[in-house]
Amino acid sequence: MNIDVVQSDVTRVAADGLIVNLFQGVTTPGGATGAVDRALGGLISRLIAAGDLKGKLGEVVIVPAGEPIAATRLAVVGLGEPGAFTLDRVRQVSAEATRALRARGARRVATIVHGAGIGGLDPFEAAVATVEGAVLGLYRFRRYRSERDEQEVEEVLLVEREGDRVAALRTAARRGQILAEAQNLARDLQNEPANILTPRALAERAQTLLTPLGLRVEVYDEAWMRSKGMGALLGVAQGSAEPPRLIVARYDGEVTPAIGLIGKGITFDSGGLSLKPAEGMELMKTDMSGGAAVIGALAAIAQLRPRRAVVGIIPATENMPGGRAQRPGDVVRTMHGKTIEVINTDAEGRLILADALAYAQELGLRPLVDLATLTGAMTVALGRVRTGVFSNDEATLQALLRAGERSGEKLWPMPLDEEYAEQIKSEIADVKNVGGRPAGAVTAAMFLKQMVRETPWVHLDIAGTARAEQTKGYTISGGTGIGVRTLVHFVEQLSN
């Protein structure tokens, strides 16, 4: 999709659809919306007076336009209450409006930058968010449909009247497109069926996607893992006929030490011998969502070129109940030498992350950020609205929370009191991989905390937010690509 900025009067841009906006409670539109209203003889004002246009958040009213407006259709999107307007609402309304125009067959869409006028937002940031919303909101995964006759939006144009702002807005539009397309890349990986996206295929995708962007991508096999003593990762992998892979992608920024981004890459999770229920098991193809987020974030980082070096590590395997599968009660040894009693083979994510985190420390990466669809308990605790965040370092935690606020991805800090470690003490090993039902997400994070030792570290449990059950705003049903933009903002913060 082509994204560009055009200098023009908003009424004179030829397009299949023109998007303007309206705050809730406004009876006389101003700015660009007012200019369109006047050109159309007060059409928008009449819609407001009739109660057909209220300006509620995400409400989209589409009417025919035509002369003297150059666009064929006019879409007025509601911004909601003025006092509650944010950059994330810019993304939401941009997504709703562009998607509504696509449903009417629009291929070329023109839009004003939402929030840059009466909304009081920074014009550059508002332009980034407008593009992010459009690109994210138009996403859909149709690769395996035999007949694909749906029209797609081919071009989105941001309209700017002032010529001296066009260059800056073009830079903003490019940034918004890079960030959103990186998140869509992660969504594509999440939505792939597990028979297609095996661990080896995920490694090949990482190489195909990231190498052309200038990143160095190394892929290690099980023989290498054995030489490194990665018994926890190999223990999970041994039940599958598909061999595991460890993916390491390097962005060579000028500032070191490199930040470590670690993503769980379970390409299908049956639960192993601790077998999951059949209902909903098809969704376990998205158990590699953390790995997908790391690949997406690195794709954006490679193009935005922050100063800080970054290394992404993705342990990729299936968790299957084959004849060689590890058993409840088995003991495995991590790369660090710590022994783990495997109580439940469905608590496999923390096992593969243990070895990935050990390798990240061997490389001298700091701080470390891991993302994983780790626990159902996290979904119970926070639902599908917020991602739970755990950390052993306050400064790193606060930087990550600021990055989440900037991206619009809602995070929530969770506790890691030392008392929780009592629940994962083993009688026969250093630690066990589950601590019972109470505080399940916390004890899983406590397990990981013991693996990172003193390295500054943040863990994001994205079990509740990696998938969406319905389309709303810029969130599309299926894989969400959660974490991509937050990771990019986090790296940029530490680069500065």
Side-chain angles (χ1 to χ4, degrees):
M1 182 167 53
N2 181 53
I3 309 285
D4 202 0
V5 180
V6 294
Q7 180 188 359
S8 177
D9 185 302
V10 71
T11 65
R12 304 313 306 158
V13 179
D16 301 315
L18 169 66
I19 302 171
V20 295
N21 56 46
L22 186 75
F23 275 114
Q24 189 170 345
V26 171
T27 56
T28 304
T33 306
V36 172
D37 185 42
R38 290 189 295 274
L40 292 175
L43 173 61
I44 298 174
S45 294
R46 290 195 297 274
L47 289 170
I48 296 170
D52 295 328
L53 178 57
K54 297 182 173 64
K56 291 182 178 179
L57 181 67
E59 168 195 61
V60 183
V61 175
I62 299 177
V63 294
E67 289 297 333
I69 301 295
T72 305
R73 295 179 185 84
L74 175 68
V76 186
V77 62
L79 304 182
E81 297 286 350
F85 198 61
T86 63
L87 285 171
D88 202 54
R89 289 196 166 186
V90 172
R91 298 182 189 100
Q92 293 177 43
V93 300
S94 179
E96 295 285 3
T98 50
R99 195 163 54 243
L101 283 171
R102 180 180 65 185
R104 300 293 184 93
R107 293 180 182 271
R108 178 182 168 97
V109 172
T111 181
I112 62 174
V113 176
H114 304 296
I118 192 173
L121 300 177
D122 176 81
F124 185 94
E125 295 295 337
V128 172
T130 299
V131 172
E132 284 178 324
V135 175
L136 292 170
L138 291 171
Y139 174 83
R140 50 189 176 191
F141 188 77
R142 296 289 189 267
R143 184 168 299 166
Y144 297 102
R145 292 197 175 186
S146 299
E147 297 181 5
R148 285 187 279 168
D149 56 356
E150 301 156 310
Q151 285 191 164
E152 296 292 348
V153 173
E154 298 171 355
E155 188 170 34
V156 174
L157 301 175
L158 273 60
V159 184
E160 172 53 49
R161 187 183 183 93
E162 304 299 328
D164 59 353
R165 294 170 62 174
V166 169
L169 292 187
R170 279 208 176 103
T171 300
R174 177 179 176 273
R175 176 179 173 82
Q177 186 173 13
I178 288 170
L179 289 167
E181 288 181 348
Q183 185 167 342
N184 284 346
L185 182 160
R187 289 169 165 179
D188 278 346
L189 293 172
Q190 290 178 281
N191 290 328
E192 283 283 2
N195 64 318
I196 303 295
L197 198 70
T198 62
R200 286 178 291 180
L202 180 60
E204 290 167 2
R205 292 279 184 96
Q207 290 176 314
T208 300
L209 292 165
L210 299 179
T211 302
L213 298 175
L215 274 66
R216 292 182 290 130
V217 182
E218 300 156 345
V219 178
Y220 298 107
D221 63 12
E222 58 268 49
W224 179 89
M225 296 175 201
R226 199 169 294 112
S227 74
K228 301 296 288 186
M230 294 184 171
L233 172 51
L234 289 168
V236 175
Q238 69 189 41
S240 174
E242 287 289 338
R245 292 292 183 264
L246 187 79
I247 305 162
V248 180
R250 302 171 188 269
Y251 166 72
D252 294 325
E254 61 191 85
V255 177
T256 57
I259 298 168
L261 305 180
I262 297 93
K264 176 184 171 184
I266 299 288
T267 60
F268 188 77
D269 182 17
S270 71
L273 290 181
S274 304
L275 194 67
K276 291 180 179 291
E279 184 178 357
M281 194 190 287
E282 73 278 2
L283 300 176
M284 290 301 100
K285 68 180 184 178
T286 63
D287 210 21
M288 37 60 68
S289 297
V294 169
I295 292 172
L298 286 168
I301 287 165
Q303 297 172 80
L304 295 172
R305 308 296 301 174
R307 297 175 63 241
R308 188 74 177 264
V310 182
V311 176
I313 301 175
I314 302 162
T317 183
E318 293 181 335
N319 183 28
M320 300 291 280
R324 296 182 60 249
Q326 68 179 358
R327 299 151 289 263
D330 284 1
V331 174
V332 295
R333 187 181 298 274
T334 71
M335 179 182 164
H336 269 333
K338 189 178 285 289
T339 57
I340 303 168
E341 182 185 8
V342 179
I343 302 298
N344 187 326
T345 65
D346 194 25
E348 85 298 330
R350 65 203 72 179
L351 296 176
I352 70 170
L353 287 173
D355 280 331
L357 289 166
Y359 185 58
Q361 291 166 82
E362 180 180 274
L363 295 179
L365 311 180
R366 59 186 298 130
L368 305 178
V369 181
D370 80 72
L371 298 88
T373 45
L374 206 65
T375 65
M378 193 75 262
T379 309
V380 172
L382 297 180
R384 300 199 176 278
V385 177
R386 288 186 181 267
T387 293
V389 185
F390 304 79
S391 182
N392 64 355
D393 182 74
E394 186 63 23
T396 306
L397 172 64
Q398 290 304 319
L400 198 285
L401 294 175
R402 287 193 299 272
E405 184 175 348
R406 188 175 177 195
S407 71
E409 296 179 337
K410 294 184 177 182
L411 310 177
W412 194 257
M414 299 289 289
L416 266 182
D417 303 85
E418 285 301 321
E419 289 88 340
Y420 290 111
E422 295 293 322
Q423 292 178 231
I424 54 173
K425 284 186 175 179
S426 168
E427 293 185 2
I428 65 169
D430 296 327
V431 66
K432 57 186 180 181
N433 74 327
V434 293
R437 290 179 63 85
V442 181
T443 55
M446 181 59 72
F447 176 95
L448 295 177
K449 181 185 177 185
Q450 295 190 14
M451 303 299 160
V452 298
R453 300 175 175 176
E454 301 304 316
T455 304
W457 155 83
V458 178
H459 161 60
L460 287 82
D461 191 334
I462 59 174
T465 52
R467 295 187 305 273
E469 297 172 347
Q470 62 181 356
T471 295
K472 184 177 181 182
Y474 61 91
T475 299
I476 308 299
S477 176
T480 62
I482 195 76
V484 170
R485 289 178 297 113
T486 292
L487 289 180
V488 176
H489 294 316
F490 176 76
V491 168
E492 289 180 327
Q493 278 189 64
L494 297 193
S495 296
N496 296 328

